[in-house]
Amino acid sequence: MSARDQVAAIYQQVLQRNAGEPEFHQAAAEVFESLHVVLERYPHYADGGLVERLCEPERQIIFRVPWVDDTGAVQVNRGFRVQYNSVLGPYKGGLRFHPSVNLGIVKFLGFEQIFKNALSGLPIGGGKGGSDFDPKGRSDAEVMRFCQSFMTELHRHIGEYTDVPAGDIGVGGREIGYLFGQYKRLTNSYESGVLTGKGLNWGGSQVRKEATGYGAAYFVAEMLKTVKSSLDGKTVVVSGSGNVAIYAIEKIHQLGGIVVACSDSSGYIVDPKGIDLELLKDIKESRRARICEYVETATHATFTSGGSIWDVACDVAIPAATQNELDEDAAITLVKGGVVVVAEGANMPTTPEAVQVFRDAGVAFAPGKAANAGGVATSALEMQQNASRDSWSFEYTDDRLARIMTGIHGRVVETAEDYGMPGDYVHGANIAGFVKVADAMISLGVI
Ligand code: GLU
C-alpha cells in the first residue's frame, strides 16, 4: 500500500471511531495532510500501530460539575480532560470554559497540543480540558463555586508529574486562582507546578500572561525576516480582544507595527491611529465590558456590529479569537487587500479552504501549533521555576520566550525545506512535531 493510501485508511478509521466530532476531524486531517510525505521517506513510522496510537487519547475523562448560582439554584455543567499523549512529558494544555465546549472540541485542541508542545522543544506532553460553563455575566462568587466544583473531580487526575492544566478561552488568572486554591485544599499540599498561569505572588511566572500574544508577534517578526522585511510600519489586524490579542497588539506596537483593528463576539473596532492599548485593557481586563465602548472614548475610531474584521485591509493578519473564524471568503478579501503574512494566534482559526487560498496566493501562513506556542512554552518555563523554587525577571523570561519562538521558526522552516516544500509552515510544523513525538513513542514501546 502506498503511504498516501495508508494514511487515508487510518483517517477513515479516525472518522468512524470519532463520529460527530468535525473539529477533531479537521485537526487530524491537517496533520494527516503532511503525514504521507514523512511515511514515504521513513516507512517505519507506520509500524507498530504508531499513527493509530497517536490518534487515540491515552485517557479521556468526562465528569459532572454541579454548582449553586447566586439565586440558590443548582446548575449542572459538564467537565472534560483529554490526556492525549505523554511520551515527551506530563500532559500539558489549557482548560477552556465556553458554552461551545464538547468532547470533539477538547480532542481537537488536545491533538493540536501534542505537536505544538513537541515543537516548543520543551519536555511537555499534550492534553486539554474544559467545560461548557459560560463565565460571561457570572459573578466572581459563581465563578469561584464553579471552579471549586470542577477541581473537586479534576484534582485526582492531575499533578506536577502527571498533567498540568493552564488557561485557554474563558480561563485566566481569576479562574486559575480558584482552581489552585481548591487543589491545595483538597490535597493539603502546596504543589505549585500542578497548574500554570498562576498569579505572580503565588508561584506564577513573569510573561506567562503576555506569552501567547508576544510569542505570535515574535514569530511574525521571524517570518518577515525571511523576506528581508520587519514589522516596522506594517498595518496589522488582530481578531479577538482576549489575552492572546491584547498582548499580540502590545508586542507588535513595540516592534513598530500598527494594529488598526480588533474584535469581540459583538463586532470589531477600527482605529487608524493604532489601537489604544490602555483603553482596550481597561475595557476588557478591568471591566470585562463590550468592545463597542472603545469608540465612546476614542471618538475617531469606528465600531462595526457583527460583520467581518477581515474586511479591514492589512499587511499582516493574526486571527486570535477562536476556531474557524477566518473562512475562504475572508481569505480572498485579505489577499485582495494585500496581506503578506497570516499567523494563527488562536487554535485552528483558519478553515482548510482559507489556508488553500493563502497557499495559492503565495501568502506566508503560520499554523497555530507554531505561531501560538509561546503560551504553553512559557507555561513550561513556569514549571521550571516552580521545580527549582525560583522566579525569574520579566526581561530574562521574555528573552527566553523570544529565543524559543526563533527556535520554533527555525525548526519549521528547515523541516519544510528538507522535505522539498520551502516556505510551507503548515507542512514544516506538522512534520517537525510529528517526528519528535513519533521517535519518542518508538523508544518507549507499545504503551
Ligand atoms: N491554552 C494555551 C494553548 O493553546 C496554553 C496552554 C498551557 O499553557 O498549558 O496552547
Side-chain angles (χ1 to χ4, degrees):
M1 215 194 303
S2 73
R4 207 178 267 277
D5 289 346
Q6 263 176 323
V7 173
I10 301 171
Y11 186 63
Q12 279 313 310
Q13 271 179 30
V14 168
L15 294 185
Q16 272 164 21
R17 182 171 269 172
N18 304 282
E21 297 178 348
E23 292 84 4
F24 174 58
H25 300 165
Q26 187 182 332
E30 187 181 302
V31 173
F32 276 45
E33 186 197 332
S34 309
L35 220 52
H36 69 91
V37 190
V38 188
L39 297 188
E40 261 153 32
R41 191 185 286 194
Y42 300 114
H44 72 280
Y45 285 130
D47 297 345
L50 189 146
V51 180
E52 289 88 337
R53 283 188 286 134
L54 187 56
C55 292
E56 188 65 17
E58 289 174 16
R59 192 174 296 105
Q60 307 181 58
I61 303 147
I62 305 180
F63 50 99
R64 179 171 71 198
V65 190
W67 57 283
V68 180
D69 71 18
D70 284 347
T71 70
V74 173
Q75 300 283 341
V76 180
N77 285 102
R78 188 171 285 177
F80 303 89
R81 187 73 183 165
V82 172
Q83 299 179 329
Y84 225 116
N85 192 298
S86 61
V87 284
L88 295 178
Y91 309 106
K92 183 81 197 87
L95 298 170
R96 176 176 293 192
F97 291 170
H98 190 270
S100 65
V101 167
N102 57 42
L103 183 61
I105 297 269
V106 180
K107 277 163 69 182
F108 120 61
L109 292 164
F111 190 69
E112 286 262 305
Q113 201 82 43
I114 304 171
F115 305 101
K116 184 195 303 192
N117 295 4
L119 270 177
S120 77
L122 295 157
I124 39 178
K128 204 87 186 191
S131 174
D132 57 0
F133 171 70
D134 188 358
K136 214 176 276 172
R138 291 293 179 189
S139 68
D140 285 356
E142 289 178 314
V143 170
M144 180 180 75
R145 288 194 293 275
F146 172 81
C147 288
Q148 290 176 339
S149 180
F150 186 86
M151 185 53 84
T152 300
E153 174 57 36
L154 188 69
H155 87 280
R156 54 185 115 250
H157 309 288
I158 62 175
E160 183 183 356
Y161 298 106
T162 314
D163 184 356
V164 184
D168 195 80
I169 294 172
V171 177
R174 173 182 63 169
E175 290 74 18
I176 294 294
Y178 296 144
L179 291 164
F180 184 66
Q182 184 72 351
Y183 183 86
K184 189 179 79 60
R185 187 181 191 198
L186 289 166
T187 58
N188 190 32
S189 104
Y190 206 106
E191 194 189 326
S192 300
V194 72
L195 289 171
T196 59
K198 298 182 292 298
L200 293 177
N201 54 348
W202 44 276
S205 171
Q206 296 283 358
V207 194
R208 176 61 193 89
K209 186 173 66 170
E210 296 85 354
T212 313
Y214 277 20
Y218 289 137
F219 200 89
V220 167
E222 288 300 311
M223 293 172 84
L224 286 164
K225 252 192 221 167
T226 65
V227 288
K228 311 235 173 320
S229 183
S230 77
L231 269 165
D232 204 22
K234 294 281 184 306
T235 301
V236 184
V237 169
V238 179
S239 65
S241 49
N243 206 40
V244 183
I246 287 176
Y247 293 97
I249 297 171
E250 184 163 285
K251 187 52 77 179
I252 287 162
H253 284 175
Q254 286 171 15
L255 297 174
I258 307 153
V259 180
V260 294
C262 66
S263 61
D264 69 11
S265 53
S266 68
Y268 66 91
I269 52 164
V270 177
D271 186 340
K273 291 188 189 165
I275 300 291
D276 177 340
L277 206 56
E278 288 320 304
L279 178 56
L280 185 68
K281 282 184 185 175
D282 179 53
I283 295 167
K284 285 292 164 184
E285 290 187 333
S286 310
R287 295 192 283 117
R288 297 177 192 272
R290 307 309 299 170
I291 206 162
C292 57
E293 290 188 17
Y294 185 92
V295 299
E296 289 168 19
T297 306
T299 47
H300 61 279
T302 55
F303 171 71
T304 305
S305 172
S308 169
I309 190 173
W310 309 118
D311 290 344
V312 182
C314 57
D315 303 309
V316 175
I318 304 185
T322 195
Q323 64 269 3
N324 292 327
E325 56 164 302
L326 199 170
D327 62 13
E328 187 175 14
D329 287 345
I332 292 169
T333 309
L334 278 170
V335 170
K336 278 192 193 140
V339 76
V340 288
V341 166
V342 179
E344 292 189 324
N347 292 311
M348 209 171 74
T350 318
T351 66
E353 297 77 18
V355 176
Q356 197 51 48
V357 171
F358 294 137
R359 268 209 178 106
D360 294 344
V363 172
F365 171 80
K369 52 175 87 72
N372 74 33
V376 75
T378 308
S379 276
L381 301 183
E382 183 171 333
M383 291 162 72
Q384 279 185 36
Q385 291 167 77
N386 293 152
S388 57
R389 300 185 187 279
D390 198 358
S391 77
W392 306 340
S393 71
F394 191 95
E395 292 68 29
Y396 178 76
T397 318
D398 190 23
D399 183 56
R400 291 280 301 255
L401 168 64
R403 285 166 198 266
I404 289 168
M405 296 314 294
T406 308
I408 296 172
H409 181 270
R411 275 191 284 286
V412 170
V413 166
E414 276 165 33
T415 307
E417 266 168 25
D418 182 28
Y419 280 80
M421 295 173 283
D424 193 321
Y425 287 85
V426 173
H427 284 304
N430 282 336
I431 296 171
F434 170 80
V435 166
K436 176 131 197 234
V437 178
D439 285 343
M441 286 179 75
I442 292 168
S443 300
L444 270 60
V446 177
I447 52 170

